[in-house]
Structures are given as C-alpha cells and as structure tokens.
Amino acid sequence: MFKNEDAGSKAEQTRAQIRDVALTSFRNQGFDATTMRQVAKEAGVSLGNAYYYFPTKNHLVQELYIEVQLAHRAAAEPRLAETDDLIARLGAVFQTGLAQLVPFHDYSTGFLTAMVAPNSPLNPMSPESKPARDMIVGLFREALDGARQSLPSEIAPRMPHALWLAHLLMCLFWSYDRSPGQRNTARLVDTGLRLFKAALPFLRVPVVRTPLRTLLDLVGEVGA
C-alpha cells in the first residue's frame, strides 16, 4: 500500500516538474523555442519519460492555458469584490485577462501560428481547450451575476460566451499591438465598454432584443 502511494507521489512530482519547466520555458523563450527534448533535459528526466506524461508539446500548452486562467481569476476576483457596477466588473475581467498575457507578448507570433489552424488542439475553440474556455466564460458569468444592473432574462445566460469571444478578439489585437505598453489595446477595451454601456437600455427593446438573442445563439455555437 505504501509503495503504491510512494509511486503515485513520485509520478505526480515528476509530472509537476516537467510541467513547471515547460511553463517557465514558454514564458522565457516562447512556443517555438520550447522543445520536449529541452524540457526533459531541464526537468532531469528522459525524453521518453517526458512523453509518457505529456504526449506532445500541445499538451503542455493546455497546461499553460489553465495556469493563465487560474491567474486571471485570482487577479480579477479582488477587483470584482470592489464594485457592483456592470461596466466596471466587465472591465476588470478584460483588463486582468490581458495583464496575464504580458510575459508572452514578445513570443505571441509563435503561439498564434500554432493556434490559428481550425483543427489545431491549441485553437481556443477546440474541444481540448474547453477546460480553460469554461473558466473564462465562468468568470464573465460571475461578473454579470454580481452586477446591480441586470440584463434581460433571455440575454443574460447567452452573454458570457459572447464576452469570451470578444476577449479572444481583444487578445488577438493585443498580440499585434506595438504601442508602448499596448496602450492601444487598453483604449480599445475602454471604448468597447463605453459602447456597451450606451447600448444597455436598448437591450430591453423588443425590436432589438429578439434579433440580438438570435445573434447570441449563433455566437454561442462557436466553441460549444
């Protein structure tokens, strides 16, 4: 019994070591320069052992997705606790999400190249990316649910997924943004939130609400 527990503990430690080395390499060197051979060497394990725990480099990137989203939630929740204003809460989610990507800006091209193919497991809309995707959709849902301004009942449950897709577009813009500190992206987020605030009263108008619901249903099929 104890031998099995020790073996399980050692396996978990080995997996964690490989994972930690890979995530550090992704941050410091980017996607292209990180190889399974290099990760195995720095983790002190054989290449075969590294492949046993992570069959491809893509599996390690999925670990990165999860880590980034955990950090995103940890950064967003204190700001969400400070306000019940809808726009401020959405701003907190967008802003803290982009902040988690800062270490990867210089290497964003490599990640984008790997992610852009529709059938790539690294595509944010792929089945493999669902755990990370669910985390950020859930964070947007939390931001909406805790706001004093409520959305129409048929719009509210459809909005978190649409906001996630908007966040993806912001991330894409950010990856190409070469302005100092990516301030153009920050301006885009602020402008988008102001437009959303201005549009809120119209969401309760039937002539707007019905086609919007249809549009959100279509958006919801992306990555579902």
Side-chain angles (χ1 to χ4, degrees), residues 72-157:
H72 184 186
R73 174 169 287 279
E77 285 189 332
R79 291 187 54 182
L80 291 177
E82 294 174 353
T83 179
D84 63 356
D85 178 74
L86 176 60
I87 302 304
R89 289 173 68 83
L90 293 179
V93 177
F94 280 112
Q95 292 156 7
T96 54
L98 290 169
Q100 306 316 307
L101 303 181
V102 170
F104 307 101
H105 193 266
D106 291 343
Y107 309 109
S108 58
T109 301
F111 284 102
L112 282 174
T113 301
M115 293 162 55
V116 70
N119 60 347
S120 169
L122 300 186
N123 188 310
M125 303 175 192
S126 71
E128 293 85 353
S129 298
K130 187 176 187 301
R133 182 167 65 248
D134 286 349
M135 291 173 71
I136 189 168
V137 170
L139 192 54
F140 275 116
R141 183 174 293 110
E142 182 179 329
L144 292 170
D145 290 346
R148 66 175 182 272
Q149 304 100 317
S150 62
L151 300 180
S153 58
E154 67 269 42
I155 299 298

Side-chain angles (χ1 to χ4, degrees), residues 33-53:
T34 298
T35 66
M36 291 296 290
R37 186 175 298 277
Q38 165 241 324
V39 168
K41 181 178 179 180
E42 293 184 18
V45 302
S46 69
L47 182 59
N49 207 10
Y51 277 122
Y52 173 79
Y53 290 101

Side-chain angles (χ1 to χ4, degrees), residues 11 20 32 39 50 55 65 81 92 124 134 146 149 174 185-186 204 223:
D20 290 347
D32 292 334
V39 168
Y65 285 173
D134 286 349
Q149 304 100 317
W174 171 90
T185 305
R204 299 188 179 281

Side-chain angles (χ1 to χ4, degrees), residues 162-190:
L163 290 168
W164 162 74
L165 193 58
H167 180 68
L168 278 186
L169 293 174
M170 292 294 180
C171 291
L172 180 62
F173 184 91
W174 171 90
S175 67
Y176 290 105
D177 186 357
R178 294 296 180 265
S179 61
Q182 289 69 61
R183 64 188 180 196
N184 286 343
T185 305
R187 289 172 56 198
L188 181 61
V189 170
D190 289 343

